[in-house]
Amino acid sequence: MSLDISKLAPDAEGYLCLPDTGGRVVFHVCDPAKNFLCGKEMCRGAGGGEDEGEIGFCSCTMEAAFRKEGTRLFHKRLNDEGYYGREYIEEVGGDA
């Protein structure tokens, strides 16, 4: 899914949505070792972790192929504090 992230916009409920369909974007925790498309200039996961104390802004991808093993899918939703938080998706069938 090659998509210009600057074209994503929140819907009425605050979820980031695709510009062409209006569907909610599914995000994955990024595994920087798999993600050959990212320049990693703002990557939080390059240090091997994904905790909030690690330096960097980005820790996710929209590309399922770059998903870190054992992590959950999520949507990003604008909260009352003015930033996008994660809202985890319940996976059905165990195969996402």
Side-chain angles (χ1 to χ4, degrees):
M1 167 195 298
S2 182
L3 176 68
D4 181 355
I5 61 170
S6 68
K7 296 192 187 306
L8 300 180
D11 64 10
E13 297 179 60
Y15 292 96
L16 278 179
C17 292
L18 298 168
D20 54 345
T21 66
R24 293 178 181 168
V25 178
V26 174
F27 289 94
H28 311 270
V29 174
C30 183
D31 182 340
K34 292 180 183 177
N35 193 342
F36 59 87
L37 296 178
C38 177
K40 299 170 184 61
E41 292 89 8
M42 297 175 53
C43 184
R44 185 184 323 155
E50 199 237 328
D51 66 37
E52 293 301 320
E54 195 169 346
I55 302 296
F57 296 104
C58 186
S59 63
C60 60
T61 179
M62 294 181 285
E63 300 283 350
F66 304 145
R67 179 181 178 185
K68 188 179 222 175
E69 294 297 321
T71 59
R72 297 167 54 196
L73 307 175
F74 58 95
H75 295 295
K76 287 199 170 204
R77 186 176 191 189
L78 191 60
N79 65 26
D80 294 337
E81 297 173 14
Y83 69 90
Y84 286 94
R86 294 181 183 184
E87 198 164 285
Y88 289 98
I89 301 168
E90 293 297 322
E91 297 181 44
V92 178
D95 192 26

